[in-house]
């Protein structure tokens, strides 16, 4: 959760976590697995898209952003697990990210 201005973003992430956990339980007897990858600040360039009064705050949050390849490795880790292993959730964010 980050604030101010992050309530809707945070709520949507929470909703996806709940949906994913529900799907995981409902599909447990099938070969379909459900994993949530929750990234923190990732250097995708999005930090340069914010304008107005939040621009400086976003640049501050993203100053220690991790490369996108770090998230890709987390996704690969979840996918590469054996069929009897379910990785429910992975949070990937910069070690220095305070929020």
């Amino acid at each position: 959760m980050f604030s101010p201005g992050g309530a809707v973003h945070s709520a949507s992430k929470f909703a996806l976590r709940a949906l994913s956990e529900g799907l995981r339980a409902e599909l447990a007897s099938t070969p379909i697995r459900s994993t949530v990858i929750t990234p923190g600040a990732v250097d995708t360039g999005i930090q340069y898209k914010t304008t107005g009064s939040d621009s400086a705050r976003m640049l501050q949050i993203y100053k220690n952003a991790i490369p996108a390849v770090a998230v890709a490795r987390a996704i690969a880790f979840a996918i590469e697990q054996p069929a009897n292993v379910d990785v429910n959730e992975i949070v990937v964010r910069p070690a220095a990210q305070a929020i």
Side-chain angles (χ1 to χ4, degrees):
M1 175 68 199
F2 70 92
S3 184
V8 172
H9 175 79
S10 297
S12 65
K13 279 190 173 187
F14 186 79
L16 289 175
R17 285 176 56 204
L19 175 63
S20 180
E21 181 59 19
L23 288 173
R24 185 201 62 75
E26 290 179 12
L27 300 172
S29 63
T30 75
I32 299 172
R33 296 182 288 176
S34 173
T35 302
V36 174
I37 309 291
T38 307
V42 179
D43 189 12
T44 62
I46 195 169
Q47 65 269 37
Y48 304 111
K49 304 280 187 211
T50 302
T51 59
S53 61
D54 276 345
S55 180
R57 185 172 70 96
M58 290 304 288
L59 290 174
Q60 182 65 25
I61 291 170
Y62 279 81
K63 75 177 183 175
N64 296 311
I66 58 175
V69 70
V71 179
R73 285 194 301 261
I75 293 167
F77 171 80
I79 292 171
E80 292 169 351
Q81 297 310 302
N84 65 338
V85 174
D86 195 7
V87 178
N88 294 11
E89 181 177 6
I90 299 175
V91 178
V92 183
R93 63 178 158 223
Q97 184 174 329
I99 59 169

